[in-house]
Amino acid sequence: MAQAFIAEQLFDGEQLHRNVALAIDGGKVVALGGEPAANAVRLCGLLAPGLIDVQVNGGGGALFNNDPSVHALGKMSSAHARFGTTGFMPTLITDEVAVMQKAADAVAAALKEGVPGVIGVHFEGPHLSVPKKGTHEEKFIRPLSEEELAIFAREDLGLKMVTLAPENVAPEDIEKLVSLDVKVCLGHSNADGKTAAAAVAAGATGFTHLYNAMSPLHSRDPGMVGTALISDGCWCGLIADGHHVSPEAMTLAIKAKPRGKIMLVTDAMSLVGSEEKSFPLFDRIVTRQGDKLTSTTGELAGSHLDMIGAVRNTHNWCGVELTEALRMAGLYPAQFLGTEAGRIGEGAQADLILLDDELQVQKTWINGQEVFTA
């Protein structure tokens, strides 16, 4: 059914416009600008491209590791749509092969059924570094084998992303993953700069949650952090919650990287969009205090961050212009993934959010369907 609007303000992914007409039909933007339709609905606030999160462990009370199912993906989608996420990569942290297979099957089914917002899958592990494992379960960390490669090779998973430690995965295996259309990110790694650089040369294009669970920058070796900052062709994810990364460290990364190479991520756990205060993770309990998640073993265990919150924090803490913060949460993750999302234009999929003056989400559309209204 065709829909017509007049946006008080509209950010198309590049430029800001005022009082612009917009028409949606068949899940696409079919007109932008020109004379508005007689039945056009006025949208007060800022209309912007939907946000894209490449690292979502859970939401709405569902954790993907604990429940690798289409039902759980639907709950995650609904929870994060409230906060402006219109496309996300369900993320499975290090686990058994059987759980990875179930997660892959769930994503494939969700894509086939058209679960809103599901665009692929992110396997964060299991090929990581034990010294930098964070909250990942050590007993499941292992070398790359044919069993995992068979999962990564599937062609029914949409966009595919794997986080690995380059000291534990050879450059030729990274090349193999890239040949399978997998976006390779480096993370949970204690690698030196030379090893990290070799992985980038082999085709890795991202660094998972910059600064966190990776070897730091030293004066005599760049480590993972330094290599991430000087690898101009690579994208870096930032968890902008004030717990994983300070505003000052965020600002440094934003200044150091070329424009377009920092993307905001949440690393969200099941409590986002839920009233629950804790959840089980393997043999531990993760508890929320305020907006901080801590495991019973003491480490940070994902985040309680949502995407529009990440935009607000980046804008308010780091002095980044709002339009640029929105690009960091929409256009730049889309470019990392190799999609055309993150823009509003004729022919684009109608993934949209409406923000008020406080940068709170008032409405969310996915594929032209209104999936959330405040």
Side-chain angles (χ1 to χ4, degrees):
M1 181 178 177
Q3 305 170 72
F5 303 102
I6 302 172
E8 181 181 57
Q9 298 182 80
L10 185 145
F11 176 58
D12 64 10
E14 290 292 346
Q15 295 182 310
L16 192 62
H17 308 270
R18 295 186 182 277
N19 295 313
V20 61
L22 177 81
I24 298 172
D25 197 12
K28 302 284 187 180
V29 175
V30 295
L32 181 63
E35 289 297 317
N39 64 339
V41 175
R42 187 166 185 83
L43 299 174
C44 297
L46 174 62
L47 191 69
L51 310 181
I52 300 168
D53 193 348
V54 305
Q55 192 173 4
V56 183
N57 307 292
L63 188 70
F64 200 34
N65 278 75
N66 291 351
D67 184 8
S69 69
V70 176
H71 178 68
L73 291 173
K75 293 173 72 173
M76 291 162 62
S77 171
S78 296
H80 287 277
R82 294 170 50 187
F83 305 105
T85 298
T86 59
F88 71 99
M89 300 286 280
T91 301
L92 189 85
I93 69 170
T94 298
D95 213 318
E96 298 175 291
V97 169
V99 177
M100 295 176 67
Q101 291 169 336
K102 288 180 181 178
D105 290 342
V107 167
L111 291 168
K112 187 174 182 180
E113 295 174 20
V115 175
V118 176
I119 57 176
V121 62
H122 177 182
F123 291 103
E124 188 183 355
H127 319 302
L128 306 179
S129 163
V130 170
K132 293 292 184 180
K133 68 180 181 63
T135 197
H136 289 241
E137 186 68 35
E138 182 175 347
K139 66 182 179 182
F140 296 138
I141 292 174
R142 57 190 181 272
L144 178 64
S145 75
E146 292 299 323
E147 288 182 299
E148 290 92 15
L149 275 174
I151 297 170
F152 302 150
R154 288 178 59 164
E155 297 182 352
D156 58 350
L157 302 179
L159 301 167
K160 297 180 290 188
M161 182 176 166
V162 171
T163 293
L164 56 83
E167 65 268 44
N168 292 333
V169 180
E172 54 267 32
D173 286 327
I174 292 174
E175 292 175 353
K176 173 66 173 177
L177 290 170
V178 172
S179 76
L180 296 172
D181 294 323
V182 175
K183 299 292 181 182
V184 175
C185 286
L186 309 181
H188 286 277
S189 167
N190 209 26
D192 59 19
K194 182 178 179 180
T195 302
V200 171
T205 54
F207 286 80
T208 294
H209 45 52
L210 180 66
Y211 297 115
N212 302 118
M214 59 176 61
S215 50
L217 168 66
H218 289 295
S219 59
R220 289 177 292 278
D221 190 282
M224 283 278 289
V225 171
T227 304
L229 294 177
I230 63 174
S231 298
D232 288 352
C234 289
W235 285 261
C236 295
L238 274 183
I239 307 173
D241 65 350
H243 302 298
H244 286 82
V245 187
S246 72
E248 294 82 5
M250 289 171 57
T251 300
L252 172 62
I254 293 165
K255 288 184 175 182
K257 292 293 291 182
R259 182 173 178 266
K261 296 300 185 179
I262 293 288
M263 55 185 180
L264 301 178
V265 301
T266 64
D267 197 20
M269 290 298 205
S270 61
L271 302 186
V272 171
S274 166
E275 296 301 317
E276 298 172 8
K277 299 294 185 183
S278 64
F279 62 93
L281 180 65
F282 302 114
D283 59 351
R284 288 153 279 162
I285 299 295
V286 176
T287 303
R288 176 167 75 89
Q289 293 183 314
D291 63 350
K292 184 178 181 180
L293 301 183
T294 307
S295 168
T296 45
T297 45
E299 67 271 16
L300 287 173
S303 86
H304 194 64
L305 182 67
D306 54 72
M307 281 301 278
I308 196 58
V311 169
R312 284 195 304 269
N313 293 344
T314 302
H315 175 54
N316 294 331
W317 297 347
C318 304
V320 174
E321 289 186 8
L322 175 59
T323 51
E324 180 66 3
L326 287 168
R327 291 186 195 100
M328 292 167 67
L331 180 60
Y332 302 157
Q335 291 173 339
F336 162 71
L337 292 170
T339 77
E340 296 298 318
R343 301 179 188 272
I344 301 176
E346 291 187 14
Q349 185 166 308
D351 293 342
L352 312 166
I353 58 174
L354 182 66
L355 305 175
D356 65 15
D357 291 342
E358 303 300 318
L359 302 184
Q360 299 287 343
V361 176
Q362 299 304 298
K363 292 181 182 293
T364 301
W365 295 262
I366 299 178
N367 198 27
Q369 299 298 311
E370 189 174 311
V371 295
F372 169 74
T373 186

